[in-house]
Coordinates of all heavy atoms in Angstrom, one line a residue:
M1 N 10.6 3.4 3.5 CA 9.8 3.2 4.5 C 9.4 1.7 4.6 O 9.0 1.1 3.6 CB 8.6 4.0 4.5 CG 7.6 3.8 5.5 SD 6.2 4.9 5.4 CE 6.9 6.5 5.4
K2 N 9.5 1.1 5.7 CA 9.2 -0.4 5.8 C 8.0 -0.5 6.9 O 8.3 -0.1 8.0 CB 10.4 -1.1 6.3 CG 10.2 -2.6 6.2 CD 10.9 -3.1 5.0 CE 11.0 -4.6 5.0 NZ 10.8 -5.1 3.8
L3 N 7.0 -0.9 6.4 CA 5.8 -1.0 7.3 C 5.3 -2.5 7.4 O 4.2 -2.8 7.0 CB 4.7 -0.1 6.8 CG 4.9 1.4 6.9 CD1 3.7 2.2 6.2 CD2 5.2 1.9 8.2
N4 N 6.1 -3.3 7.9 CA 5.7 -4.8 8.0 C 6.0 -5.2 9.3 O 6.2 -4.4 10.3 CB 6.3 -5.6 6.9 CG 7.8 -5.5 6.9 OD1 8.5 -5.3 7.9 ND2 8.4 -5.7 5.8
S5 N 6.1 -6.5 9.5 CA 6.2 -7.1 10.9 C 7.6 -6.7 11.5 O 7.8 -6.8 12.8 CB 6.1 -8.6 10.8 OG 7.1 -9.1 10.0
I6 N 8.5 -6.3 10.8 CA 9.7 -5.8 11.3 C 9.6 -4.5 12.1 O 10.2 -4.2 13.0 CB 10.9 -5.7 10.2 CG1 11.1 -7.1 9.6 CG2 12.1 -5.2 10.7 CD1 11.8 -7.2 8.4
S7 N 8.8 -3.6 11.4 CA 8.5 -2.3 11.9 C 7.0 -2.2 12.4 O 6.3 -2.0 11.4 CB 8.9 -1.2 11.0 OG 10.2 -1.3 10.6
P8 N 6.8 -2.5 13.6 CA 5.3 -2.4 13.9 C 4.6 -1.1 13.6 O 5.1 0.0 13.7 CB 5.3 -2.7 15.4 CG 6.7 -2.7 15.9 CD 7.5 -2.6 14.7
I9 N 3.4 -1.1 13.1 CA 2.6 0.0 12.7 C 1.7 0.5 13.9 O 1.1 -0.3 14.5 CB 1.6 -0.4 11.6 CG1 2.4 -0.8 10.4 CG2 0.8 0.9 11.2 CD1 1.6 -1.4 9.3
P10 N 1.9 1.8 14.2 CA 1.2 2.3 15.3 C -0.3 2.2 15.1 O -0.8 2.1 13.9 CB 1.6 3.8 15.4 CG 2.8 3.9 14.6 CD 2.7 2.8 13.6
E11 N -1.1 2.2 16.2 CA -2.5 2.1 16.1 C -3.2 3.3 15.6 O -4.3 3.3 15.1 CB -3.1 1.7 17.5 CG -2.6 0.5 18.0 CD -3.7 -0.5 18.5 OE1 -4.8 -0.2 18.4 OE2 -3.3 -1.7 18.7
D12 N -2.5 4.5 15.5 CA -3.1 5.7 15.0 C -1.9 6.3 14.1 O -0.7 5.8 14.2 CB -3.6 6.6 16.1 CG -2.5 7.1 16.9 OD1 -1.4 7.5 16.5 OD2 -2.7 7.1 18.2
D13 N -2.3 7.3 13.4 CA -1.4 7.9 12.4 C -0.5 9.0 13.0 O 0.2 9.5 12.4 CB -2.1 8.4 11.1 CG -1.3 8.8 10.1 OD1 -0.3 8.1 9.9 OD2 -1.7 9.7 9.3
D14 N -0.6 9.2 14.3 CA 0.2 10.4 14.9 C 1.6 10.2 14.7 O 2.4 11.2 14.5 CB -0.2 10.5 16.4 CG -1.6 11.0 16.6 OD1 -2.2 11.6 15.6 OD2 -2.1 10.8 17.7
E15 N 2.1 9.0 14.8 CA 3.7 8.8 14.7 C 4.1 8.7 13.2 O 5.2 9.1 12.9 CB 4.0 7.4 15.3 CG 3.9 7.4 16.8 CD 4.3 6.1 17.5 OE1 5.4 5.5 17.0 OE2 3.7 5.6 18.3
L16 N 3.2 8.2 12.4 CA 3.6 8.0 10.9 C 3.5 9.2 10.1 O 4.4 9.4 9.2 CB 2.8 6.9 10.3 CG 3.1 5.5 10.9 CD1 2.2 4.5 10.2 CD2 4.5 5.1 10.5
H17 N 2.5 10.0 10.2 CA 2.1 11.1 9.4 C 2.1 10.8 8.0 O 2.6 11.4 7.1 CB 3.2 12.3 9.6 CG 3.4 12.6 11.1 ND1 2.4 13.3 11.8 CD2 4.4 12.4 12.0 CE1 2.9 13.4 12.9 NE2 4.0 12.9 13.1
L18 N 1.3 9.6 7.7 CA 1.1 9.2 6.4 C -0.1 9.8 5.9 O -1.1 10.0 6.6 CB 1.0 7.7 6.3 CG 2.2 6.9 6.7 CD1 2.0 5.4 6.7 CD2 3.4 7.2 5.6
P19 N -0.2 9.9 4.5 CA -1.6 10.3 3.9 C -2.6 9.2 4.2 O -2.2 8.0 4.4 CB -1.2 10.3 2.4 CG 0.2 10.6 2.3 CD 0.8 9.9 3.5
E20 N -3.8 9.5 4.4 CA -4.7 8.6 4.8 C -4.9 7.2 4.0 O -5.0 6.2 4.7 CB -6.2 9.2 5.0 CG -6.7 9.8 3.7 CD -8.0 10.5 3.9 OE1 -8.7 10.3 4.7 OE2 -8.2 11.6 3.0
L21 N -4.8 7.4 2.7 CA -5.0 6.1 2.0 C -3.8 5.2 2.2 O -3.9 4.0 2.2 CB -5.2 6.4 0.4 CG -5.6 5.3 -0.4 CD1 -7.0 4.8 0.0 CD2 -5.7 5.7 -1.9
V22 N -2.6 5.8 2.2 CA -1.4 5.0 2.5 C -1.4 4.3 3.8 O -1.1 3.2 3.9 CB -0.1 6.0 2.3 CG1 1.1 5.2 2.5 CG2 0.0 6.6 0.9
Y23 N -1.9 5.1 4.8 CA -2.0 4.6 6.1 C -2.8 3.4 6.2 O -2.5 2.2 6.7 CB -2.5 5.6 7.1 CG -2.7 5.2 8.4 CD1 -1.6 4.9 9.3 CD2 -3.9 5.0 8.9 CE1 -1.8 4.4 10.6 CE2 -4.2 4.6 10.2 CZ -3.1 4.2 11.0 OH -3.2 3.8 12.4
W24 N -4.2 3.5 5.7 CA -5.1 2.4 5.7 C -4.6 1.3 4.8 O -4.8 0.0 5.2 CB -6.5 2.9 5.3 CG -7.0 3.8 6.5 CD1 -7.2 5.1 6.3 CD2 -7.3 3.4 7.8 NE1 -7.6 5.6 7.6 CE2 -7.7 4.6 8.4 CE3 -7.2 2.2 8.6 CZ2 -8.1 4.7 9.8 CZ3 -7.6 2.3 9.9 CH2 -7.9 3.5 10.5
A25 N -4.0 1.5 3.7 CA -3.5 0.3 2.9 C -2.4 -0.4 3.5 O -2.3 -1.6 3.5 CB -3.0 0.9 1.5
S26 N -1.6 0.4 4.3 CA -0.4 -0.3 5.0 C -0.9 -1.2 6.1 O -0.2 -2.2 6.5 CB 0.6 0.8 5.5 OG 0.0 1.5 6.6
L27 N -2.1 -0.9 6.6 CA -2.8 -1.8 7.6 C -3.6 -2.8 7.0 O -4.0 -3.7 7.8 CB -3.6 -1.0 8.6 CG -2.9 0.1 9.5 CD1 -3.9 0.9 10.1 CD2 -2.0 -0.6 10.4
G28 N -3.8 -2.8 5.8 CA -4.6 -3.8 5.2 C -6.2 -3.7 5.4 O -6.9 -4.7 5.2
D29 N -6.6 -2.5 5.7 CA -8.0 -2.3 6.1 C -8.8 -1.9 4.9 O -8.9 -0.7 4.4 CB -8.1 -1.2 7.1 CG -9.5 -1.1 7.8 OD1 -10.5 -1.3 7.0 OD2 -9.6 -0.7 8.9
V30 N -9.4 -2.9 4.2 CA -10.1 -2.9 2.9 C -11.3 -1.8 3.1 O -11.5 -1.0 2.3 CB -10.6 -4.1 2.4 CG1 -11.5 -3.9 1.2 CG2 -9.6 -5.1 2.1
A31 N -12.0 -1.9 4.2 CA -13.2 -1.1 4.4 C -12.7 0.4 4.5 O -13.4 1.3 3.7 CB -13.9 -1.4 5.7
E32 N -11.7 0.7 5.1 CA -11.3 2.1 5.2 C -10.7 2.6 3.9 O -10.9 3.7 3.4 CB -10.2 2.3 6.4 CG -10.8 2.2 7.6 CD -11.7 3.3 8.1 OE1 -11.7 4.5 7.5 OE2 -12.6 3.1 9.0
V33 N -10.0 1.7 3.2 CA -9.5 2.1 1.8 C -10.6 2.4 0.9 O -10.8 3.4 0.2 CB -8.6 1.0 1.3 CG1 -8.3 1.3 -0.2 CG2 -7.3 0.9 2.1
E34 N -11.7 1.5 0.9 CA -12.8 1.8 0.1 C -13.5 3.1 0.5 O -13.9 3.8 -0.4 CB -13.9 0.6 0.2 CG -13.5 -0.7 -0.5 CD -14.4 -1.8 -0.3 OE1 -15.1 -1.9 0.9 OE2 -14.5 -2.6 -1.2
K35 N -13.7 3.3 1.8 CA -14.3 4.5 2.2 C -13.6 5.8 1.7 O -14.2 6.7 1.2 CB -14.3 4.5 3.7 CG -15.2 5.6 4.4 CD -15.4 5.2 5.9 CE -15.0 6.2 6.8 NZ -15.2 5.8 8.2
R36 N -12.3 5.7 1.9 CA -11.5 6.9 1.4 C -11.6 7.1 -0.1 O -11.7 8.2 -0.6 CB -9.9 6.7 1.7 CG -9.6 6.7 3.3 CD -10.3 7.8 4.0 NE -9.9 7.9 5.4 CZ -10.5 7.3 6.4 NH1 -11.6 6.4 6.2 NH2 -10.2 7.5 7.7
L37 N -11.6 6.1 -0.9 CA -11.7 6.1 -2.3 C -13.1 6.7 -2.6 O -13.2 7.5 -3.6 CB -11.5 4.8 -3.0 CG -10.0 4.3 -2.9 CD1 -10.0 2.8 -3.4 CD2 -9.1 5.2 -3.7
A38 N -14.1 6.2 -2.0 CA -15.5 6.7 -2.1 C -15.7 8.2 -1.9 O -16.5 8.8 -2.5 CB -16.6 5.9 -1.4
N39 N -14.8 8.6 -1.0 CA -14.9 10.0 -0.6 C -14.0 10.9 -1.5 O -13.7 12.2 -1.2 CB -14.4 10.2 0.9 CG -15.5 9.7 1.9 OD1 -16.7 9.8 1.5 ND2 -15.1 9.4 3.0
G40 N -13.4 10.3 -2.6 CA -12.6 11.1 -3.5 C -11.2 11.2 -3.4 O -10.5 12.0 -4.1
V41 N -10.6 10.4 -2.4 CA -9.2 10.4 -2.3 C -8.5 9.8 -3.5 O -9.0 8.8 -4.0 CB -8.8 9.7 -1.0 CG1 -7.3 9.5 -0.9 CG2 -9.3 10.3 0.3
D42 N -7.4 10.4 -3.9 CA -6.7 9.9 -5.1 C -6.1 8.6 -4.9 O -5.5 8.3 -3.9 CB -5.6 10.9 -5.4 CG -4.8 10.6 -6.6 OD1 -5.1 9.6 -7.4 OD2 -3.7 11.3 -6.9
V43 N -6.4 7.7 -5.7 CA -6.0 6.3 -5.6 C -4.5 6.1 -5.7 O -3.8 5.3 -5.2 CB -6.6 5.3 -6.7 CG1 -6.1 5.6 -8.1 CG2 -6.5 3.9 -6.4
N44 N -3.8 7.2 -6.2 CA -2.3 7.2 -6.4 C -1.8 8.1 -5.3 O -0.6 8.4 -5.5 CB -2.0 7.7 -7.8 CG -2.3 6.6 -8.8 OD1 -1.9 5.4 -8.7 ND2 -3.0 6.9 -9.9
Q45 N -2.5 8.3 -4.3 CA -2.0 9.2 -3.2 C -0.6 8.6 -2.7 O -0.5 7.3 -2.5 CB -3.0 9.2 -2.0 CG -2.5 10.2 -0.9 CD -3.6 10.2 0.2 OE1 -3.8 9.1 0.9 NE2 -4.4 11.2 0.4
A46 N 0.4 9.4 -2.4 CA 1.7 9.0 -1.9 C 2.1 9.8 -0.8 O 1.7 11.0 -0.7 CB 2.7 8.9 -3.0
D47 N 3.1 9.3 0.0 CA 3.6 10.1 1.1 C 4.7 11.0 0.5 O 5.0 11.1 -0.7 CB 4.2 9.2 2.2 CG 5.4 8.4 1.8 OD1 6.1 8.6 0.8 OD2 5.8 7.5 2.6
E48 N 5.5 11.7 1.4 CA 6.5 12.7 1.1 C 7.7 12.0 0.2 O 8.3 12.7 -0.5 CB 7.0 13.4 2.2 CG 6.0 14.2 2.9 CD 6.6 14.7 4.4 OE1 7.7 14.3 4.8 OE2 5.8 15.5 5.0
E49 N 7.9 10.7 0.5 CA 8.9 10.1 -0.2 C 8.4 9.3 -1.6 O 9.2 8.7 -2.2 CB 9.5 9.0 0.7 CG 10.2 9.6 2.0 CD 10.6 8.6 2.9 OE1 10.4 7.4 2.7 OE2 11.0 9.0 4.0
G50 N 7.2 9.6 -1.9 CA 6.6 8.9 -3.0 C 6.1 7.6 -2.9 O 5.6 6.8 -3.9
Y51 N 6.0 7.0 -1.6 CA 5.5 5.7 -1.3 C 4.0 5.7 -1.4 O 3.4 6.4 -0.6 CB 6.0 5.3 0.1 CG 5.8 4.0 0.7 CD1 6.6 2.9 0.2 CD2 4.9 3.6 1.5 CE1 6.4 1.6 0.6 CE2 4.6 2.4 2.1 CZ 5.5 1.4 1.6 OH 5.3 0.1 2.2
S52 N 3.4 4.9 -2.3 CA 1.9 4.9 -2.5 C 1.2 3.9 -1.7 O 1.8 3.0 -1.1 CB 1.7 4.7 -4.0 OG 2.0 3.4 -4.4
A53 N -0.1 4.0 -1.7 CA -1.0 3.1 -1.1 C -0.8 1.7 -1.8 O -0.7 0.7 -1.0 CB -2.5 3.6 -1.2
L54 N -0.6 1.6 -3.0 CA -0.5 0.3 -3.6 C 0.9 -0.3 -3.2 O 0.8 -1.6 -2.9 CB -0.5 0.5 -5.2 CG -0.3 -0.8 -5.9 CD1 -1.3 -1.9 -5.6 CD2 -0.1 -0.5 -7.5
Q55 N 1.8 0.5 -3.1 CA 3.2 -0.1 -2.7 C 3.1 -0.6 -1.2 O 3.6 -1.6 -0.8 CB 4.3 1.0 -2.8 CG 4.6 1.4 -4.2 CD 5.5 2.6 -4.4 OE1 5.2 3.7 -3.8 NE2 6.5 2.4 -5.0
A56 N 2.4 0.2 -0.3 CA 2.2 -0.2 1.0 C 1.5 -1.5 1.2 O 1.8 -2.4 2.0 CB 1.5 1.0 1.8
A57 N 0.4 -1.6 0.4 CA -0.4 -2.9 0.5 C 0.4 -4.1 0.0 O 0.4 -5.2 0.5 CB -1.7 -2.7 -0.3
A58 N 1.2 -3.9 -1.2 CA 1.8 -4.9 -1.8 C 3.0 -5.4 -0.8 O 3.2 -6.6 -0.7 CB 2.4 -4.4 -3.1
E59 N 3.8 -4.5 -0.4 CA 4.8 -4.8 0.6 C 4.4 -5.5 1.7 O 5.1 -6.4 2.3 CB 5.6 -3.6 0.9 CG 6.8 -3.8 1.7 CD 7.6 -2.6 2.2 OE1 7.0 -1.4 2.2 OE2 8.7 -2.7 2.6
N60 N 3.2 -5.2 2.3 CA 2.7 -5.8 3.6 C 1.8 -7.0 3.4 O 1.3 -7.5 4.4 CB 2.1 -4.6 4.4 CG 3.1 -3.6 4.9 OD1 3.9 -4.1 5.8 ND2 3.1 -2.4 4.4
G61 N 1.7 -7.4 2.1 CA 0.9 -8.6 1.9 C -0.5 -8.6 1.9 O -1.2 -9.6 2.2
Y62 N -1.2 -7.5 1.6 CA -2.6 -7.4 1.6 C -3.1 -7.4 0.1 O -3.5 -6.4 -0.5 CB -3.1 -6.0 2.2 CG -2.6 -6.0 3.6 CD1 -1.7 -5.0 4.1 CD2 -3.0 -7.0 4.6 CE1 -1.3 -5.1 5.4 CE2 -2.6 -7.0 5.9 CZ -1.7 -5.9 6.3 OH -1.3 -5.9 7.5
L63 N -3.3 -8.6 -0.4 CA -3.8 -8.9 -1.8 C -5.1 -8.3 -2.1 O -5.3 -7.6 -3.1 CB -3.8 -10.4 -2.1 CG -4.3 -10.7 -3.4 CD1 -3.3 -10.2 -4.5 CD2 -4.4 -12.3 -3.5
D64 N -6.0 -8.3 -1.1 CA -7.3 -7.7 -1.3 C -7.2 -6.2 -1.5 O -7.9 -5.6 -2.4 CB -8.4 -8.1 -0.3 CG -7.8 -7.8 1.1 OD1 -6.6 -7.6 1.3 OD2 -8.7 -7.9 2.1
V65 N -6.4 -5.6 -0.8 CA -6.2 -4.1 -1.0 C -5.5 -3.8 -2.2 O -5.9 -2.9 -3.0 CB -5.5 -3.5 0.3 CG1 -5.2 -2.0 0.0 CG2 -6.3 -3.7 1.6
V66 N -4.5 -4.6 -2.7 CA -3.8 -4.4 -3.9 C -4.8 -4.6 -5.1 O -4.9 -3.7 -5.9 CB -2.6 -5.5 -4.1 CG1 -2.1 -5.5 -5.5 CG2 -1.5 -5.1 -3.0
Q67 N -5.6 -5.6 -5.0 CA -6.6 -5.8 -6.0 C -7.7 -4.6 -6.2 O -8.0 -4.2 -7.2 CB -7.4 -7.1 -5.8 CG -6.5 -8.3 -6.1 CD -7.0 -9.6 -5.7 OE1 -7.8 -9.8 -4.7 NE2 -6.7 -10.7 -6.4
L68 N -8.1 -4.2 -5.0 CA -9.0 -3.0 -5.0 C -8.4 -1.7 -5.6 O -9.0 -1.1 -6.4 CB -9.4 -2.8 -3.6 CG -10.3 -1.5 -3.3 CD1 -11.6 -1.5 -4.1 CD2 -10.5 -1.2 -1.8
L69 N -7.1 -1.5 -5.1 CA -6.5 -0.3 -5.7 C -6.2 -0.4 -7.1 O -6.4 0.6 -7.9 CB -5.2 -0.1 -4.9 CG -5.3 0.3 -3.4 CD1 -4.0 0.2 -2.6 CD2 -5.9 1.7 -3.3
V70 N -5.8 -1.5 -7.6 CA -5.6 -1.8 -9.1 C -7.0 -1.6 -9.8 O -7.0 -0.9 -10.9 CB -5.0 -3.1 -9.4 CG1 -4.9 -3.4 -11.0 CG2 -3.6 -3.1 -8.8
S71 N -8.0 -2.2 -9.2 CA -9.4 -2.1 -9.9 C -9.8 -0.6 -10.0 O -10.6 -0.2 -10.9 CB -10.4 -2.9 -9.2 OG -10.8 -2.3 -8.0
K72 N -9.3 0.3 -9.1 CA -9.7 1.7 -9.1 C -8.7 2.6 -9.8 O -8.7 3.8 -9.8 CB -9.8 2.1 -7.6 CG -10.8 1.5 -6.8 CD -12.3 1.7 -7.4 CE -13.3 1.1 -6.5 NZ -14.6 1.4 -7.0
G73 N -7.7 2.0 -10.5 CA -6.8 2.7 -11.3 C -5.5 3.0 -10.8 O -4.7 3.9 -11.3
A74 N -5.0 2.4 -9.7 CA -3.7 2.6 -9.1 C -2.7 2.3 -10.2 O -2.7 1.4 -11.0 CB -3.4 1.8 -7.9
D75 N -1.6 3.2 -10.2 CA -0.5 3.1 -11.2 C 0.5 2.0 -10.7 O 1.3 2.2 -9.7 CB 0.2 4.5 -11.2 CG 1.4 4.5 -12.2 OD1 1.6 3.4 -12.9 OD2 2.0 5.5 -12.2
V76 N 0.4 0.9 -11.4 CA 1.3 -0.3 -11.0 C 2.7 0.0 -11.4 O 3.6 -0.7 -10.8 CB 0.8 -1.5 -11.5 CG1 -0.7 -2.0 -11.0 CG2 0.7 -1.6 -13.0
Q77 N 3.0 1.0 -12.2 CA 4.4 1.2 -12.5 C 5.0 2.3 -11.7 O 6.2 2.6 -11.9 CB 4.4 1.6 -14.1 CG 3.8 0.5 -15.0 CD 4.7 -0.8 -14.8 OE1 5.9 -0.8 -14.7 NE2 3.9 -1.8 -14.8
H78 N 4.2 2.9 -10.8 CA 4.8 3.9 -9.9 C 6.0 3.3 -9.2 O 6.0 2.4 -8.6 CB 3.7 4.4 -8.9 CG 4.2 5.4 -8.0 ND1 4.4 6.7 -8.3 CD2 4.6 5.3 -6.6 CE1 4.8 7.4 -7.2 NE2 5.0 6.5 -6.2
K79 N 7.1 4.2 -9.2 CA 8.4 3.8 -8.7 C 8.9 4.8 -7.8 O 9.1 6.0 -8.1 CB 9.3 3.5 -9.8 CG 10.6 2.8 -9.4 CD 11.3 2.4 -10.7 CE 12.6 1.6 -10.2 NZ 13.0 0.7 -11.2
A80 N 9.2 4.5 -6.5 CA 9.7 5.5 -5.5 C 10.4 4.8 -4.3 O 9.9 4.8 -3.3 CB 8.6 6.3 -5.0
P81 N 11.6 4.3 -4.5 CA 12.3 4.0 -5.6 C 12.1 2.7 -6.2 O 12.6 2.3 -7.3 CB 13.9 4.0 -5.1 CG 13.7 3.5 -3.7 CD 12.5 4.0 -3.2
Y82 N 11.2 1.9 -5.7 CA 10.7 0.6 -6.1 C 9.3 0.6 -6.6 O 8.5 1.4 -6.0 CB 11.0 -0.5 -5.1 CG 12.4 -0.6 -4.6 CD1 12.8 0.0 -3.4 CD2 13.3 -1.1 -5.4 CE1 14.1 -0.1 -3.0 CE2 14.7 -1.2 -5.0 CZ 15.0 -0.6 -3.8 OH 16.4 -0.7 -3.3
T83 N 8.9 -0.3 -7.4 CA 7.5 -0.5 -7.8 C 6.9 -1.4 -6.8 O 7.5 -2.0 -6.0 CB 7.3 -1.1 -9.2 OG1 7.9 -2.4 -9.2 CG2 8.0 -0.3 -10.3
A84 N 5.5 -1.4 -6.8 CA 4.9 -2.3 -6.0 C 5.3 -3.7 -6.2 O 5.4 -4.5 -5.1 CB 3.3 -2.2 -6.2
L85 N 5.4 -4.2 -7.4 CA 6.0 -5.6 -7.6 C 7.3 -5.7 -7.1 O 7.5 -6.8 -6.4 CB 6.0 -5.8 -9.2 CG 6.6 -7.1 -9.7 CD1 5.8 -8.3 -9.1 CD2 6.7 -7.1 -11.2
E86 N 8.3 -4.8 -7.2 CA 9.6 -5.0 -6.7 C 9.5 -5.2 -5.1 O 10.2 -5.9 -4.5 CB 10.4 -3.9 -7.1 CG 10.8 -3.9 -8.6 CD 11.4 -2.6 -9.0 OE1 11.2 -1.5 -8.5 OE2 12.1 -2.7 -10.1
L87 N 8.7 -4.4 -4.5 CA 8.6 -4.4 -3.1 C 7.9 -5.7 -2.6 O 8.3 -6.2 -1.6 CB 7.7 -3.2 -2.6 CG 8.4 -1.8 -2.6 CD1 7.3 -0.8 -2.4 CD2 9.5 -1.7 -1.6
A88 N 6.9 -6.2 -3.3 CA 6.3 -7.5 -3.0 C 7.3 -8.5 -3.1 O 7.3 -9.5 -2.4 CB 5.1 -7.7 -3.9
E89 N 8.1 -8.5 -4.2 CA 9.2 -9.5 -4.4 C 10.2 -9.5 -3.3 O 10.6 -10.5 -2.8 CB 9.9 -9.3 -5.7 CG 9.1 -9.6 -6.9 CD 9.7 -9.3 -8.3 OE1 10.5 -8.3 -8.4 OE2 9.4 -9.9 -9.2
M90 N 10.6 -8.3 -2.9 CA 11.6 -8.2 -1.8 C 11.0 -8.8 -0.4 O 11.7 -9.3 0.4 CB 12.1 -6.7 -1.6 CG 13.0 -6.3 -2.7 SD 13.8 -4.7 -2.4 CE 12.4 -3.7 -3.0
A91 N 9.7 -8.5 -0.2 CA 9.0 -9.0 1.0 C 8.5 -10.4 0.9 O 7.9 -10.9 1.8 CB 7.8 -8.0 1.3
E92 N 8.9 -11.1 -0.3 CA 8.4 -12.4 -0.5 C 6.8 -12.6 -0.4 O 6.4 -13.7 0.2 CB 9.2 -13.4 0.5 CG 10.7 -13.3 0.1 CD 11.5 -14.3 1.1 OE1 10.9 -15.0 1.9 OE2 12.7 -14.3 0.9
Q93 N 6.2 -11.6 -1.0 CA 4.6 -11.8 -1.0 C 4.2 -12.4 -2.3 O 3.9 -11.7 -3.3 CB 4.1 -10.3 -0.9 CG 4.5 -9.6 0.4 CD 4.0 -10.3 1.7 OE1 3.1 -11.1 1.7 NE2 4.4 -9.8 2.8
T94 N 4.3 -13.7 -2.4 CA 4.2 -14.6 -3.6 C 2.9 -14.3 -4.3 O 2.9 -14.1 -5.5 CB 4.4 -16.1 -3.3 OG1 5.7 -16.2 -2.6 CG2 4.5 -16.8 -4.6
E95 N 1.8 -14.3 -3.5 CA 0.5 -14.1 -4.2 C 0.4 -12.7 -4.9 O -0.2 -12.7 -6.0 CB -0.6 -14.3 -3.1 CG -1.0 -15.7 -2.7 CD -2.1 -15.6 -1.9 OE1 -2.1 -15.1 -0.8 OE2 -3.2 -16.3 -2.2
I96 N 0.9 -11.7 -4.1 CA 0.9 -10.4 -4.8 C 1.8 -10.3 -6.0 O 1.4 -9.7 -6.9 CB 1.2 -9.4 -3.7 CG1 0.0 -9.3 -2.6 CG2 1.3 -8.0 -4.3 CD1 0.3 -8.6 -1.4
V97 N 2.9 -10.9 -5.9 CA 3.8 -10.9 -7.0 C 3.2 -11.5 -8.2 O 3.3 -11.0 -9.4 CB 5.2 -11.7 -6.8 CG1 6.0 -11.9 -7.9 CG2 6.0 -10.8 -5.6
N98 N 2.7 -12.7 -8.1 CA 1.9 -13.3 -9.1 C 0.7 -12.5 -9.6 O 0.5 -12.5 -10.9 CB 1.3 -14.8 -8.7 CG 2.4 -15.7 -8.4 OD1 3.7 -15.6 -8.9 ND2 2.2 -16.7 -7.5
Y99 N 0.0 -11.9 -8.8 CA -1.1 -11.1 -9.3 C -0.6 -9.9 -10.0 O -1.2 -9.7 -11.1 CB -2.0 -10.6 -8.1 CG -2.9 -9.5 -8.5 CD1 -4.0 -9.9 -9.2 CD2 -2.7 -8.2 -8.2 CE1 -5.0 -8.9 -9.6 CE2 -3.6 -7.2 -8.6 CZ -4.8 -7.6 -9.3 OH -5.7 -6.7 -9.6
L100 N 0.4 -9.2 -9.6 CA 0.9 -8.0 -10.3 C 1.5 -8.4 -11.6 O 1.4 -7.8 -12.6 CB 1.9 -7.3 -9.4 CG 1.3 -6.6 -8.2 CD1 2.3 -5.9 -7.4 CD2 0.3 -5.4 -8.7
K101 N 2.2 -9.5 -11.7 CA 2.8 -10.0 -12.9 C 1.8 -10.4 -13.9 O 2.0 -10.3 -15.1 CB 3.7 -11.1 -12.6 CG 5.0 -10.8 -12.0 CD 6.0 -12.0 -11.9 CE 7.4 -11.5 -11.5 NZ 8.3 -12.6 -11.4
S102 N 0.6 -10.7 -13.4 CA -0.5 -11.2 -14.3 C -1.2 -10.0 -15.0 O -2.0 -10.2 -16.0 CB -1.6 -12.0 -13.6 OG -2.4 -11.2 -12.8
L103 N -0.9 -8.8 -14.6 CA -1.7 -7.7 -15.1 C -1.1 -7.3 -16.5 O 0.0 -7.4 -16.8 CB -1.5 -6.5 -14.2 CG -2.1 -6.6 -12.8 CD1 -1.9 -5.4 -11.9 CD2 -3.6 -6.8 -12.9

């Protein structure tokens, strides 16, 4: 699943059918991600293909969301079929690559 500028993200989740945390992370909405986590949503929530919120944020270039998810215990080694680091590298998200490598 590719949720970046190549594939525009719909304004609502009706087309995507993503789990809520993955959806908000893919949009880079820190406030909504924080809200979902505060309401008890699993930080490692993933879609049907195993694509996690951390992977969505990393691939789409949202460093603040990546840092938040990692601080809340997101599994940085989760692979489906790529890790968040691998997705960030493929998407040339240098800041996120550097951050994830620093962990």
Side-chain angles (χ1 to χ4, degrees):
M1 177 180 299
K2 191 102 167 140
L3 298 176
N4 57 30
S5 59
I6 297 168
S7 303
I9 299 171
E11 300 232 350
D12 61 47
D13 191 31
D14 290 340
E15 288 181 45
L16 290 174
H17 307 290
L18 293 175
E20 59 186 331
L21 192 63
V22 177
Y23 176 73
W24 292 112
S26 69
L27 293 175
D29 193 323
V30 175
E32 288 296 332
V33 170
E34 285 178 329
K35 186 164 124 182
R36 298 310 188 268
L37 292 171
N39 288 333
V41 172
D42 180 6
V43 70
N44 292 305
Q45 183 180 72
D47 70 9
E48 294 169 354
E49 297 171 4
Y51 189 76
S52 72
L54 179 61
Q55 290 168 311
E59 181 179 21
N60 289 292
Y62 299 117
L63 180 60
D64 51 349
V65 176
V66 168
Q67 291 171 325
L68 171 63
L69 292 167
V70 168
S71 75
K72 298 295 184 179
D75 179 5
V76 296
Q77 299 303 318
H78 176 74
K79 190 169 187 156
Y82 303 103
T83 64
L85 173 60
E86 291 167 334
L87 288 168
E89 287 173 332
M90 288 185 280
E92 299 180 1
Q93 302 294 350
T94 307
E95 282 186 298
I96 293 171
V97 169
N98 292 337
Y99 171 72
L100 291 172
K101 282 185 175 182
S102 76
L103 299 176

